[in-house]
Amino acid sequence: MTANNPNNLHYIHHDILRTPSFSVGFRDGPIDHVKSLEHYHDSYELDLFIKADIQIFVKDRRYDIHDGDILFISEYDVHKVIYNTGTHYTRYVINFKKNFINELLNFLGIADLLINIQNRDYKKLRVNVSRINEFEDLFKTLYTLYSKGHDSTQITQGDNGNAENTALIKSFLLILLSRFYHALINTKPTFTQTTKDKIVRVIIDYIDSNYMILIDLDSLERKFHFNKYYLSHIFKQLTGFTIMEYAQHRRIIEAQRMLKYTNKDIIEICYDCGFNNIQHFYRVFSKVTGITPYKYRKMG
């Protein structure tokens, strides 16, 4: 099986989530059955887990999530959530796009804040007991502001008299991100990596750096000196994707980035992302995202 054969790959239409420029969600309730969800989205995500006993795989890192943890997930990072049955789950989740807060970051001279967070190898913060109320209050404030009868379009555009509310949301979001980052850089990561984790991380790093060339199981076996069926098994076990699915998704993620942030022609993006013809690129992109590359670019 090769990465260039779409008939051998499984595509999930709903695992790519297109989100508004800003949103806040809250969930509080029991988990009555085990769930596993793999997805990525075109926005950053910041989660506060008030009550949780779950695992989250973000790209090449496994996080054990417990009460009082805060986790940052970068845009387009594939992640998988594993919920444990019979447990109670309470969390706030914030999604926001780069363009929602970029102008404020630039104005204040801290344009690198998001980049600095994104470049951290470890993005989970175990909040000190003395500060948990401080962070929870910020999440609550943002949730309250977001819930004041304003839909995502109004928040994005600041129209219909909501400019003040939008400004408040951006201000509190900036405070939250800044405090999260400064707490994160002063926190020693607490995690353990198994041999399987390390192998999968090496494979993901390789795919992320070489998505533009042909990748297949035989070449990975030769490069990493592990049986290809073993590599396939542990990769699927830890990420929820087969190796070939991940490689194809990585190509589509890079195509999405280029469509969104560059003026390259679609055919140039096609070849830059490792596809050998434009028809194949359109077919795979549409299967994965639900829309064509042209429509995706028009959406901004």
Side-chain angles (χ1 to χ4, degrees):
M1 178 171 63
T2 68
N4 288 330
N5 186 351
N7 297 321
N8 291 331
L9 299 176
H10 174 59
Y11 299 97
I12 308 172
H13 289 267
H14 58 271
D15 64 353
I16 294 88
L17 305 180
R18 289 183 289 275
T19 57
S21 288
F22 178 85
S23 65
V24 188
F26 177 72
R27 174 178 173 177
D28 181 24
I31 298 172
D32 52 10
H33 62 281
V34 176
K35 301 176 182 178
S36 178
L37 174 66
E38 306 103 14
H39 66 284
Y40 64 89
H41 34 70
D42 58 353
S43 61
Y44 296 102
E45 179 175 321
L46 191 64
D47 299 286
L48 169 63
F49 300 93
I50 298 170
K51 187 74 175 176
D53 181 18
I54 63 175
Q55 282 190 329
I56 300 181
F57 296 89
V58 183
K59 193 178 174 182
D60 56 359
R61 175 77 71 194
R62 179 179 62 185
Y63 295 97
D64 293 313
I65 302 295
H66 301 291
D67 302 0
D69 287 344
I70 299 178
L71 181 66
F72 181 90
I73 301 174
S74 298
E75 57 178 358
Y76 298 111
D77 271 0
V78 177
H79 48 288
K80 173 184 179 181
V81 185
I82 299 177
Y83 301 95
N84 295 320
T85 186
T87 61
H88 197 90
Y89 183 61
T90 307
R91 68 98 174 90
Y92 288 94
V93 55
I94 295 173
N95 287 99
F96 64 97
K97 293 186 179 179
K98 189 182 302 182
N99 60 8
F100 179 71
I101 198 171
N102 253 4
E103 185 177 352
L104 180 58
L105 294 177
N106 291 330
F107 176 76
L108 295 174
I110 50 174
D112 290 339
L113 177 60
L114 278 178
I115 296 172
N116 290 338
I117 297 175
Q118 188 170 331
N119 288 341
R120 298 290 298 178
D121 184 51
Y122 192 76
K123 301 181 180 70
K124 186 187 83 169
L125 173 65
R126 174 62 53 83
V127 181
N128 187 288
V129 174
S130 64
R131 299 195 66 187
I132 187 63
N133 289 337
E134 170 192 344
F135 280 100
E136 187 173 349
D137 285 346
L138 286 168
F139 275 88
K140 281 182 179 178
T141 299
L142 285 163
Y143 181 72
T144 300
L145 289 169
Y146 178 74
S147 302
K148 280 186 175 180
H150 302 289
D151 63 32
S152 58
T153 301
Q154 291 170 326
I155 286 177
T156 301
Q157 297 174 348
D159 58 7
N160 297 333
N162 291 317
E164 181 180 350
N165 194 68
T166 302
L168 285 171
I169 287 174
K170 290 180 179 181
S171 299
F172 278 103
L173 177 60
L174 174 59
I175 293 170
L176 175 58
L177 289 170
S178 180
R179 292 185 182 177
F180 170 76
Y181 174 64
H182 288 290
L184 190 65
I185 62 177
N186 290 303
T187 300
K188 184 178 180 180
T190 55
F191 67 93
T192 56
Q193 271 196 313
T194 66
T195 300
K196 290 181 180 180
D197 291 327
K198 293 176 182 177
I199 294 172
V200 169
R201 188 172 191 188
V202 168
I203 294 172
I204 286 177
D205 286 344
Y206 177 77
I207 293 173
D208 286 352
S209 300
N210 296 278
Y211 60 85
M212 69 294 296
I213 65 173
L214 175 66
I215 296 173
D216 59 27
L217 295 180
D218 290 329
S219 64
L220 293 176
E221 183 178 60
R222 289 191 299 270
K223 181 169 183 61
F224 297 112
H225 309 292
F226 284 100
N227 180 276
K228 61 185 178 182
Y229 300 110
Y230 174 72
L231 293 178
S232 296
H233 172 71
I234 64 172
F235 196 95
K236 174 72 173 179
Q237 182 184 49
L238 295 187
T239 69
F241 290 92
T242 69
I243 292 175
M244 295 301 101
E245 285 168 358
Y246 181 83
Q248 203 74 296
H249 277 76
R250 174 51 57 189
R251 292 186 174 100
I252 296 303
I253 288 170
E254 294 306 321
Q256 288 176 299
R257 289 184 195 273
M258 293 181 190
L259 288 166
K260 188 173 183 179
Y261 297 119
T262 76
N263 294 319
K264 288 184 176 183
D265 291 336
I266 291 178
I267 192 167
E268 185 180 0
I269 292 173
C270 161
Y271 291 114
D272 284 351
C273 292
F275 293 91
N276 52 19
N277 67 74
I278 191 68
Q279 291 82 10
H280 176 49
F281 173 59
Y282 260 78
R283 184 166 57 251
V284 174
F285 191 98
S286 298
K287 282 185 177 180
V288 172
T289 67
I291 58 175
T292 66
Y294 176 78
K295 287 184 178 178
Y296 185 87
R297 169 164 274 174
K298 294 289 285 184
M299 288 171 57

